[in-house]
Amino acid sequence: MQTQDKTMPVNIGISEEDRKQIAEGLSRLLADTYSLYLKTHNFHWNVTGPMFQTLHLMFETQYTELAMAVDQIAERIRAVGYPAPGTYSDFAKLSSIQETPGVPKANDMIRLLVEGQEAVVRTARSIFPVVEKVNDEPTADLLTQRMQIHEKNAWMLRSLLEE
């Protein structure tokens, strides 16, 4: 991972090595978030069945929120002095969320999105040790917000599977 142009060094009270670790973690979070965005948007387009209206609207709400989140995460990577990944190949290498081939049934879509939401939470949580060590409150705040949103989304999706 390369740092940004060194014409003006980043001097925010966090060492370059720690900023690099934070940027690497945030890059994984960005890749997971974008992968989940794409999966959720795909499912929004292709969901069918008796829960169509409910799922179509829920998926739209979730992918819209994810679209805004990728910008926040990428901007934080830039703020700590590193370029944000932005290609499908970058995201494929960095993401813990796998693509889903074909068009699954609605209940399978729900299960896959629960798994995706929880994967994003785990990725966000994995960044905390270095963030806390260097008192990077802006990144900690971003991670906390992301975890709250994804844990709530996972709960709401999971509740649709209860009988």
Side-chain angles (χ1 to χ4, degrees), residues 99-115:
E99 288 185 5
T100 301
V103 179
K105 298 286 185 195
N107 276 357
D108 293 328
M109 288 178 178
I110 296 167
R111 283 185 187 87
L112 289 163
L113 292 178
V114 168
E115 290 171 5

Side-chain angles (χ1 to χ4, degrees), residues 34-106:
Y34 196 88
S35 297
L36 183 58
Y37 160 81
L38 192 59
K39 183 176 287 204
T40 306
H41 209 154
N42 175 30
F43 291 173
H44 164 79
W45 289 326
N46 290 299
V47 68
T48 59
M51 292 195 307
F52 168 79
Q53 185 67 18
T54 299
L55 294 177
H56 187 74
L57 292 173
M58 179 183 263
F59 296 168
E60 181 176 16
T61 299
Q62 290 180 3
Y63 80 68
T64 300
E65 194 284 326
L66 288 162
M68 293 180 2
V70 294
D71 199 48
Q72 295 170 336
I73 298 164
E75 288 177 356
R76 186 65 194 151
I77 295 168
R78 296 296 296 149
V80 298
Y82 288 84
T87 66
Y88 288 118
S89 62
D90 288 340
F91 293 152
K93 285 183 236 168
L94 293 166
S95 183
S96 67
I97 297 172
Q98 300 300 309
E99 288 185 5
T100 301
V103 179
K105 298 286 185 195

Side-chain angles (χ1 to χ4, degrees), residues 4 9-16 18-20 22 76-82 134-139:
Q4 66 187 29
V10 175
N11 184 10
I12 59 173
I14 301 172
S15 75
E16 184 164 345
D18 289 331
R19 286 186 294 106
K20 180 180 180 195
I22 291 166
R76 186 65 194 151
I77 295 168
R78 296 296 296 149
V80 298
Y82 288 84
V134 300
N135 299 316
D136 181 2
E137 286 84 2
T139 301

